[in-house]
Amino acid sequence: MNNLPIRYKLITHFLLISILPSIGLGLLISWTVDRIIERQVADNTLQLISKVNKTLESYVDNMQNITYFIAFNPEVKQFLTEQEAEREAGTDYNIRQFLQGFSNLHSEIAGILVVNSRGDYISNELYARTDQPLTEEYWYKDAVDKKGIFTIIGQPVGRNLTSHIYYKDNEVVTVVRAILDPDTQQVQGVVLIDLKIRVIAEAAKDVRLGKTGYLTIMDDRGEMIYSPSEPYITNIPKEWLDENPSGSFSKQVEGRKLQFLFRTSSFTNWTAVGVFSTEGSVFEVQEIRFYVISFVFFVCLLGSAASLYLSHSISRPIGQLMSFMDKAESGDMTVRYWGSRTDEVGQLGRSYNNMLTQVNKLISLTELQERQKREAELKSLQAHIKPHFLYNTLDTIHWMARKKGADDVAEVVDALSRLFRIGLSKGNDMITIIDEFEHIHSYLKIQHTRYRDKLNYSVQIAESVQELSVLKLLLQPIVENAIYHGIKERRGPGHILISAEEQDGNLVIRVEDDGKGMSEEQLKLLRRKLADSITEDEVNEEKDSSGYGIMNVQARINLTFGDPYGLSIESELGQGTTVTIVHPIIRMDKRQSIDLEEGK
């Protein structure tokens, strides 16, 4: 990732912070909506099932109340307790009319039958198929066993009864209740009522679950009381319900995943079961999911476009800056960033322009310093070294003085010759400190010949620094300055001490004189000149020897080695001056040192 271009990093970053949260939010919303709608569908379905159960319970409750009305009817009681011969004439007819009144009042009743304990029966619609006593029927025995408790038999199967309208067994539901003698609790007879399945179907068929879901009714034995014409499943095993009064479960039926919601009526013991396919059960979920997906798609589209635009707006100027830098690296220092942006990229571009400006200044300064250094060296050579023919001429004069016996003249000429020889040094910038001190020794010998007892000098070189190398012609300008502005200006003889030692990891050379010294104003002025020694005006401008020679040495050291190397001056009027040269340690090939005489 760290090696990718910044454009791809920005695109990836923008996509991560815009698209991924949108996708995550979409998935979360979709999952939440699924859970909420699924829970709401389950709650609504259970409410519908409860309403259907209450409707069925009201029908069954009416049937139960009708059995009570029938049991309390005096003529029915007479039918249950008396023989046919003992009953008043017209009693059976009145009972039939009484029962027919219930059928007329309640359209859900398919037929009512009253059977006494002797096997005689009266009905408005029902009659026996054969002469076999109805007291042998299973429904009669179930009613007797329940001892007056209202009982739902369910759909009749194989009973010895039929009706004038000829209802099929799967078109009615049978309920029964035994009529007991209140004193002896003996069974006097049984009331049977057939309830039309049509009313149950009317209560259940209008319940729609999703697009294709439906409601079915099961009795307490697991038999289907009502089921639509084309159900998903023809028979629901009772064990699927787990004997719970209500609940839900899913099953895979014939390659289709079905959702089941059920609730059992405590009064009828019937179970209303909602059945629907999970694939097309909730259209609203699919619609919401479509809107969520559409939203995520547009967010991703806008996020991608925005990320491309933002990454381009950021990476393009950075790419331009990179191309500018490549040109600058190849040597084209004139290229510049042009833009009016005020953001970080614009600030970076302006900083780049400032950097190139400063680099150009530094290059110009470096070129100037190199030129100044070469000019300073050339001026030093021009100021102190004559042409080679002068050196050859001095050798001739030295030979002639020796021949004539003028030894003092020969010594001066020899010292001057050695002075020029070391000053030339075959064009080398660096010479050994021994050669530098031999050079200054020759110079002092010449000056001592001129000033006689006015000038005395001594030279001290520590053994640890005799193998070091220094810039050539460092000491002559300083010693010359000490002679002309120090020793010469004082009364009586003066002394110059030149020493060299290693101190704090540097080579330290000191030139000390006990001459006139300088006032505080003169010292400040000279120090300021030293600080400005590498400026073009100070180097090129002709100064008097009190400033030019020292400035020349200071400029050469600074240009060659930089800070913190160079000269420092301490002086007191009437006491003398000390010039300290701090030079880096430079070790070259060790040369044989020479003995330097002390000047007299």
Side-chain angles (χ1 to χ4, degrees):
M1 187 67 181
N2 292 332
N3 297 326
L4 289 176
I6 188 171
R7 180 179 182 183
Y8 297 135
K9 290 181 181 179
L10 291 173
I11 291 175
T12 303
H13 174 72
F14 290 138
L15 292 179
L16 288 177
I17 64 176
S18 61
I19 293 180
L20 288 184
S22 300
I23 294 176
L25 180 63
L27 293 176
L28 179 61
I29 292 176
S30 178
W31 180 83
T32 303
V33 169
D34 284 346
R35 302 286 79 76
I36 292 176
I37 293 184
E38 181 179 348
R39 185 167 59 251
Q40 289 180 346
V41 167
D43 293 341
N44 293 336
T45 302
L46 290 176
Q47 290 178 2
L48 293 175
I49 291 174
S50 297
K51 291 180 180 180
V52 171
N53 281 338
K54 288 181 179 180
T55 301
L56 298 180
E57 288 174 0
S58 65
Y59 285 128
V60 175
D61 185 58
N62 286 336
M63 300 303 102
Q64 183 179 23
N65 293 333
I66 290 173
T67 60
Y68 289 132
F69 284 124
I70 293 174
F72 289 131
N73 185 272
E75 292 179 335
V76 173
K77 288 182 178 181
Q78 186 178 2
F79 169 75
L80 296 175
T81 57
E82 296 178 0
Q83 298 289 339
E84 182 177 0
E86 298 174 355
R87 295 194 294 269
E88 294 180 1
T91 299
D92 293 351
Y93 175 77
N94 292 335
I95 293 175
R96 289 189 181 93
Q97 292 299 317
F98 175 67
L99 298 179
Q100 187 63 42
F102 287 111
S103 298
N104 295 335
L105 183 62
H106 299 280
S107 61
E108 67 270 15
I109 296 177
I112 303 175
L113 176 73
V114 179
V115 182
N116 59 24
S117 58
R118 297 182 299 276
D120 298 333
Y121 67 89
I122 297 176
S123 176
N124 62 335
E125 293 289 346
L126 301 174
Y127 60 91
R129 297 175 186 271
T130 64
D131 295 336
Q132 184 177 358
L134 296 180
T135 55
E136 300 296 328
E137 292 285 300
Y138 67 91
W139 50 266
Y140 185 90
K141 293 179 179 180
D142 285 346
V144 172
D145 292 339
K146 295 297 177 61
K147 295 186 179 299
I149 298 176
F150 182 78
T151 304
I152 300 175
I153 300 299
Q155 292 178 331
V157 179
R159 68 180 183 178
N160 188 25
L161 286 176
T162 186
S163 65
H164 296 291
I165 301 178
Y166 193 67
Y167 287 104
K168 297 179 181 179
D169 292 342
N170 59 357
E171 294 178 344
V172 296
V173 174
T174 300
V175 297
V176 296
R177 191 176 75 85
I179 301 175
L180 305 179
D181 187 321
D183 297 328
T184 62
Q185 295 298 309
Q186 294 295 322
V187 176
Q188 295 177 339
V190 172
V191 178
L192 178 145
I193 301 176
D194 281 345
L195 179 65
K196 298 176 183 178
I197 294 292
R198 175 177 55 82
V199 297
I200 299 176
E202 289 176 353
K205 70 179 180 180
D206 293 333
V207 176
R208 307 301 300 174
L209 306 179
K211 283 189 173 183
T212 58
Y214 61 88
L215 195 64
T216 184
I217 309 297
M218 299 171 53
D219 61 16
D220 56 350
R221 295 187 299 273
E223 300 294 335
M224 289 292 182
I225 297 177
Y226 164 75
S227 182
S229 58
E230 296 180 357
Y232 289 139
I233 182 171
T234 57
N235 185 33
I236 300 176
K238 187 174 178 56
E239 56 269 16
W240 286 5
L241 306 181
D242 295 331
E243 298 182 358
N244 293 323
S246 64
S248 63
F249 58 90
S250 299
K251 293 291 183 180
Q252 196 79 17
V253 179
E254 295 181 357
R256 175 183 293 172
K257 188 176 182 180
L258 300 178
Q259 183 75 22
F260 297 85
L261 293 169
F262 66 92
R263 176 163 290 177
T264 302
S265 172
S266 59
F267 179 69
T268 63
N269 283 330
W270 290 351
T271 302
V273 183
V275 183
F276 54 91
S277 174
T278 56
E279 296 176 357
S281 58
V282 184
F283 174 75
E284 292 80 3
V285 174
Q286 297 178 352
E287 186 176 2
I288 293 175
R289 189 172 295 166
F290 169 76
Y291 289 127
V292 170
I293 293 175
S294 300
F295 169 76
V296 171
F297 172 76
F298 284 112
V299 168
C300 293
L301 185 62
L302 293 176
S304 300
S307 63
L308 289 174
Y309 172 76
L310 291 176
S311 62
H312 179 73
S313 65
I314 295 175
S315 62
R316 182 173 178 271
I318 294 177
Q320 291 178 344
L321 285 176
M322 291 177 60
S323 65
F324 294 160
M325 290 180 181
D326 290 339
K327 292 180 179 179
E329 288 179 356
S330 63
D332 184 5
M333 305 300 291
T334 61
V335 64
R336 291 294 186 271
Y337 168 80
W338 301 103
S340 59
R341 299 172 65 116
T342 58
D343 58 0
E344 290 79 357
V345 176
Q347 295 176 6
L348 181 62
R350 287 184 286 275
S351 298
Y352 165 77
N353 292 341
N354 294 333
M355 180 190 69
L356 287 185
T357 302
Q358 294 298 324
V359 169
N360 284 330
K361 289 182 179 179
L362 290 175
I363 291 176
S364 300
L365 180 60
T366 301
E367 292 175 350
L368 175 63
Q369 290 175 347
E370 286 295 327
R371 186 171 64 254
Q372 290 173 345
K373 178 181 177 182
R374 297 306 175 188
E375 290 177 354
E377 292 177 350
L378 181 59
K379 286 179 180 290
S380 176
L381 291 175
Q382 291 175 347
H384 300 285
I385 301 176
K386 302 302 179 182
H388 284 76
F389 75 89
L390 179 61
Y391 171 71
N392 295 330
T393 302
L394 290 174
D395 280 343
T396 302
I397 295 172
H398 176 263
W399 175 77
M400 292 176 65
R402 290 290 185 186
K403 186 176 180 180
K404 297 294 184 178
D407 293 336
D408 54 346
V409 175
E411 288 182 0
V412 173
V413 172
D414 180 63
L416 183 59
S417 176
R418 293 171 65 186
L419 182 71
F420 287 138
R421 185 179 69 251
I422 295 176
L424 288 173
S425 61
K426 299 181 181 180
N428 295 326
D429 292 333
M430 304 292 295
I431 61 174
T432 64
I433 193 172
I434 296 297
D435 289 341
E436 178 68 16
F437 270 74
E438 182 182 358
H439 176 267
I440 200 60
H441 182 267
S442 300
Y443 175 77
L444 287 171
K445 182 182 289 187
I446 296 171
Q447 294 293 349
H448 183 264
T449 302
R450 176 182 178 185
Y451 290 101
R452 299 293 179 178
D453 296 336
K454 179 71 173 178
L455 174 63
N456 297 304
Y457 65 90
S458 60
V459 178
Q460 299 175 359
I461 306 177
E463 294 183 1
S464 60
V465 301
Q466 291 184 7
E467 62 180 12
L468 302 181
S469 297
V470 295
L471 285 173
K472 68 181 179 180
L473 302 178
L474 290 181
L475 294 176
Q476 181 180 339
I478 299 173
V479 172
E480 181 180 359
N481 197 69
I483 292 173
Y484 285 103
H485 300 282
I487 302 301
K488 184 179 178 181
E489 298 293 332
R490 65 164 285 161
R491 293 182 179 180
H495 183 271
I496 296 176
L497 173 62
I498 305 172
S499 62
E501 62 180 349
E502 184 177 349
Q503 183 178 334
D504 297 330
N506 294 315
L507 173 62
V508 178
I509 304 173
R510 290 185 178 89
V511 178
E512 305 177 25
D513 68 79
D514 56 0
K516 180 182 178 181
M518 289 180 284
S519 65
E520 185 175 351
E521 290 76 12
Q522 290 175 325
L523 182 61
K524 289 182 179 179
L525 177 61
L526 188 56
R527 285 176 175 173
R528 185 184 65 79
K529 289 180 179 181
L530 289 176
D532 299 335
S533 62
I534 64 172
T535 61
E536 186 174 6
D537 293 339
E538 292 294 338
V539 174
N540 292 336
E541 184 180 356
E542 291 295 336
K543 300 290 182 180
D544 59 351
S545 59
S546 65
Y548 174 74
I550 294 179
M551 298 306 106
N552 181 277
V553 174
Q554 174 77 341
R556 290 171 60 205
I557 294 176
N558 286 155
L559 291 172
T560 304
F561 305 113
D563 291 335
Y565 305 106
L567 277 63
S568 63
I569 300 178
E570 298 292 337
S571 181
E572 186 176 349
L573 189 62
Q575 299 296 322
T577 302
T578 300
V579 179
T580 303
I581 303 173
V582 179
H583 192 284
I585 298 292
I586 300 176
R587 301 184 186 275
M588 300 178 69
D589 294 339
K590 185 175 182 181
R591 299 182 180 181
Q592 183 67 32
S593 62
I594 63 174
D595 296 329
L596 300 178
E597 298 179 1
E598 182 177 331
K600 301 295 185 181

